[in-house]
Amino acid sequence: METGVKNSTLESWVENLSACTGTPCHGLKNSLSTSDIAHHVDNSNGHEVDRRSIIDCKEITKKDITEFLNKKIKDPTNKSSVQKMLEDQGIDISHLDKSKKKEVLNKLLTSRPSFTDLERKGLIKYTVFGCPLAKLCTRQKVAVPRVITDCVEAIEYRGLKSGGIYRISGNNASIQKLRFKFDREEAVNLKDEEFDINMLTGFLKLFLRELPEPVIPFSQYPIVENAINGDRSGTREETLNVLKQVVHDLPEPNKSTFKYLILHLVRVAHEEENQMDEHNLSIIFGPSLLGNHPDRANLLVDLPIQNTAIERIITNYRTIFK
């Protein structure tokens, strides 16, 4: 990175640092601090930060920061945004020597706010992937997220006879590029020939996997678990009644989305040529449509329950949605 660009980047970082510590700052999207924060968010919570105008900071080292801070603190009367930020935070460094001033400022530059703080201060901007289902539907003013309807329409447009549909993986690099476009809310026609069917099915599965909570929320999992386990002592009709009630009690965005997806999977299962019946589809979609809370999850125990529940719902969709 050239010196001029690097200094400009650091200037931007320092001048916008106030946003990371609670002081309002306009033009935050263009600041380097959001790129620094993105690293923390990606590695702790799996959520995305809006990167549309963020400067690449990979070549900026701690030495660069130190040199920059040396220039900043030469003149103690300089009322830069850094000094204003310190005053707003009630931090007084006027009595400190030069090395201690650098230490305090370095600590502020390299601090990592919590995910909750970032969301509250508007640093995290939910886009499409990783956005809670209700928030996404509300923002797009739709009953079912457009990423789902666009995918399903494109998949069914190509036909559902493709062998191993949803089981065969698409090209991951292409899927990630497509994800980037949707997160930037670019106009994309998924019916274009450049998007093959395995890429589209992989894209849809990725979206569902990255929901913060499955389409059937964690709170409903114990009810489903008891119903499936109760098959051994009760009747299948009783189990279906419980599953029907669980679906009925879903929040409206979840209910609409769940019904839309299940009816799509019914159409997939009815195409014999693709060799993807209800059982095979439930293995793929069980964990993403229905999941136990991560604190209580047990893969060996949960998978059979998830798969059985989704298979029953696909098979008995007329009863479930009656």
Side-chain angles (χ1 to χ4, degrees):
M1 182 181 294
E2 295 179 4
T3 303
V5 175
K6 185 179 291 185
N7 288 339
S8 174
T9 299
L10 284 165
E11 181 76 38
S12 175
W13 188 1
V14 173
E15 289 185 353
N16 288 293
L17 184 62
S18 56
C20 305
T21 54
T23 305
C25 178
H26 297 293
L28 181 60
K29 288 181 184 178
N30 295 323
S31 72
L32 183 59
S33 57
T34 50
S35 184
D36 185 51
I37 289 166
H39 174 77
H40 164 69
V41 174
D42 285 348
N43 285 283
S44 60
N45 293 282
H47 289 278
E48 291 281 314
V49 172
D50 188 3
R51 294 177 175 78
R52 296 178 197 183
S53 304
I54 291 173
I55 303 169
D56 187 2
C57 67
K58 292 180 180 178
E59 295 184 48
I60 294 177
T61 66
K62 191 170 183 179
K63 180 181 177 183
D64 297 323
I65 297 172
T66 303
E67 290 176 353
F68 182 77
L69 291 176
N70 282 337
K71 298 175 183 177
K72 277 286 180 183
I73 63 179
K74 277 182 179 179
D75 181 5
T77 64
N78 177 23
K79 286 286 183 179
S80 65
S81 58
V82 174
Q83 185 65 33
K84 291 175 184 176
M85 175 198 70
L86 292 171
E87 290 176 357
D88 290 338
Q89 296 296 310
I91 301 173
D92 181 16
I93 63 172
S94 60
H95 63 288
L96 300 177
D97 60 30
K98 187 174 179 179
S99 62
K100 286 293 183 180
K101 288 179 180 178
K102 284 197 297 181
E103 184 180 333
V104 171
L105 292 175
N106 257 317
K107 187 174 181 180
L108 284 174
L109 281 169
T110 56
S111 63
R112 296 290 198 275
S114 69
F115 178 78
T116 303
D117 286 341
L118 294 175
E119 183 179 10
R120 177 172 54 82
K121 294 169 185 175
L123 268 171
I124 290 182
K125 178 183 177 182
Y126 286 115
T127 48
V128 175
F129 281 74
C131 182
L133 198 58
K135 285 188 178 182
L136 185 57
C137 289
T138 299
R139 194 178 79 228
Q140 295 183 340
K141 298 179 181 179
V142 293
V144 180
R146 282 198 290 267
V147 61
I148 293 179
T149 55
D150 287 356
C151 268
V152 168
E153 288 173 8
I155 290 167
E156 296 190 357
Y157 172 78
R158 282 169 170 72
L160 301 175
K161 297 181 180 181
S162 178
I165 186 173
Y166 282 113
R167 187 179 67 238
I168 299 175
S169 301
N171 182 275
N172 187 58
S174 299
I175 290 173
Q176 291 298 335
K177 287 180 182 178
L178 186 56
R179 167 190 175 157
F180 181 72
K181 290 182 178 181
F182 265 79
D183 270 338
R184 295 185 60 170
E185 297 182 330
E186 294 181 9
V188 181
N189 182 4
L190 294 182
K191 293 180 181 180
D192 286 347
E193 293 184 2
E194 65 175 301
F195 306 119
D196 65 59
I197 195 162
N198 294 325
M199 178 183 170
L200 293 172
T201 56
F203 185 62
L204 178 58
K205 290 188 292 182
L206 178 64
F207 171 79
L208 294 173
R209 284 199 305 271
E210 296 211 354
L211 286 172
E213 210 174 5
V215 181
I216 297 180
F218 295 134
S219 60
Q220 297 298 306
Y221 186 81
I223 301 173
V224 175
E225 181 180 25
N226 290 336
I228 298 301
N229 289 335
D231 267 359
R232 301 185 184 94
S233 55
T235 65
R236 181 160 295 194
E237 184 178 353
E238 291 174 345
T239 302
L240 288 178
N241 286 335
V242 173
L243 293 176
K244 180 178 180 179
Q245 190 62 46
V246 166
V247 172
H248 180 269
D249 292 341
L250 291 175
E252 204 54 47
N254 299 62
K255 187 191 301 183
S256 299
T257 300
F258 187 74
K259 182 177 181 179
Y260 185 87
L261 287 167
I262 291 297
L263 293 181
H264 167 63
L265 295 180
V266 168
R267 293 190 288 272
V268 174
H270 287 176
E271 284 287 353
E272 294 184 3
E273 288 186 40
N274 61 40
Q275 299 179 328
M276 293 297 290
D277 58 16
E278 293 87 347
H279 177 70
N280 291 330
L281 290 170
S282 69
I283 292 173
I284 293 169
F285 282 91
S288 57
L289 293 178
L290 170 68
N292 199 356
H293 193 281
D295 293 341
R296 300 186 296 271
N298 184 324
L299 192 63
L300 294 177
V301 175
D302 293 335
L303 276 177
I305 293 170
Q306 294 161 342
N307 298 346
T308 301
I310 297 304
E311 182 177 357
R312 296 274 170 83
I313 292 172
I314 296 174
T315 306
N316 300 278
Y317 71 96
R318 287 191 176 90
T319 300
I320 298 297
F321 299 118
K322 190 173 180 181

